[in-house]
């Protein structure tokens, strides 16, 4: 699959302490799967208030496959949708998504790539989470809600470690509301509900490597309350 175009989509918000490391760690993955020079690391700056975007533009001088993009702040989910849409329109064959905070491990990527021989979507699942017990509990509650509302069984719906065939991803993006704040959760749900060829692989998940997470447990709880209403509405539209 050396000729296939891979886009690595990475949202970034106030990540000046992490972004250099993130680019340096993930760039070798892109270099191995560079689609005859057409693959890209698409890092979307979500209206950061620090020097994240300035650092990215500096890094792009040395990393030729790095494509920094900046946009008005819209939140993590909105930025994911923005990046997915950009990658599809740019002609990506495969889209991989991870985050910019250093919690994921690029060394675990190759089994995902190899799995594309038999699957259309490969999603990480985090048996151990380095970001705290509270977030693990929230993820379990989300998975229970997905079963109750949509009848799907998944162990980790929102892991920021997912490799997707662009054509399959495109099928479901149009089913999401504009600026939807938890797209990965619903995309996982759609993939499983509509019986796409999905594989889940265990991945490690380290503590945040630097800086401060912009989403605390209070915000997560508020997002969760809204998500219940969103799930019910989207279920009716299925």
């Amino acid at each position: 699959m050396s000729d296939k175009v891979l886009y690595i989509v990475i949202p970034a918000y106030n990540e000046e302490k992490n972004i250099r490391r993130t680019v340096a760690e993930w760039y070798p993955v892109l270099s191995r799967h560079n689609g005859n020079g057409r693959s890209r690391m698409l890092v979307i700056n979500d209206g950061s208030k620090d020097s994240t975007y300035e650092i990215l533009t500096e890094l792009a001088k040395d990393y030729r496959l790095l494509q920094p993009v900046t946009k008005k702040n819209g939140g993590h989910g909105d930025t994911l949708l923005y990046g997915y849409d950009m990658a599809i329109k740019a002609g990506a064959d495969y889209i991989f998504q991870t985050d910019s905070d250093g919690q994921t491990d690029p060394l675990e990527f190759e089994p995902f790539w190899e799995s594309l021989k038999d699957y259309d979507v490969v999603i990480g699942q985090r048996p151990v989470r380095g970001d705290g017990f509270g977030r693990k509990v929230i993820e379990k509650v989300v998975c229970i809600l997905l079963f109750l509302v949509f009848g799907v069984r998944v162990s980790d719906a929102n892991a920021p470690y997912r490799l997707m065939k662009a054509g399959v991803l495109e099928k479901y993006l149009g089913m999401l509301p504009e600026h939807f704040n938890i797209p990965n959760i619903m995309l996982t749900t759609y993939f499983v509900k509509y019986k796409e060829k999905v594989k889940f692989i265990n991945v490690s998940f380290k503590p945040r490597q630097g800086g401060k997470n912009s989403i605390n447990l209070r915000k997560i709880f508020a997002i969760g309350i809204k998500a219940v209403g969103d799930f019910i509405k989207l279920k009716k539209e299925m």
Side-chain angles (χ1 to χ4, degrees), residues 27-120:
Y27 199 81
V29 172
L30 198 65
S31 296
R32 291 195 300 271
H33 306 287
N34 71 356
N36 294 328
R38 296 178 296 144
S39 294
R40 293 290 182 272
M41 179 185 292
L42 184 61
V43 184
I44 306 107
N45 174 57
D46 183 33
S48 295
K49 298 177 181 178
D50 64 7
S51 60
T52 297
Y53 187 63
E54 288 74 18
I55 294 171
L56 284 168
T57 56
E58 176 188 338
L59 291 172
K61 297 175 183 177
D62 297 319
Y63 295 94
R64 66 180 185 84
L65 301 179
L66 170 62
Q67 182 179 345
V69 176
T70 191
K71 59 182 278 294
K72 182 180 178 180
N73 180 258
H76 186 269
D78 177 72
T79 305
L80 287 181
L81 292 175
Y82 188 93
Y84 291 157
D85 184 64
M86 277 195 69
I88 289 169
K89 288 179 178 176
D93 295 303
Y94 303 112
I95 297 172
F96 178 79
Q97 187 268 318
T98 192
D99 285 344
S100 54
D101 49 18
Q103 292 184 274
T104 57
D105 189 347
L107 297 178
E108 298 175 336
F109 178 83
E110 293 307 319
F112 281 66
W113 186 258
E114 290 299 317
S115 295
L116 290 178
K117 296 174 182 176
D118 302 304
Y119 296 90
D120 295 329

Side-chain angles (χ1 to χ4, degrees), residues 146 150 152 154 157 184-194 231 238:
L146 293 179
F150 299 100
V152 301
V154 294
N184 276 351
I185 291 176
M186 279 309 304
L187 288 170
T188 301
T189 302
Y190 289 142
F191 295 150
V192 175
K193 182 70 175 179
Y194 291 109
F231 290 163
M238 293 177 73

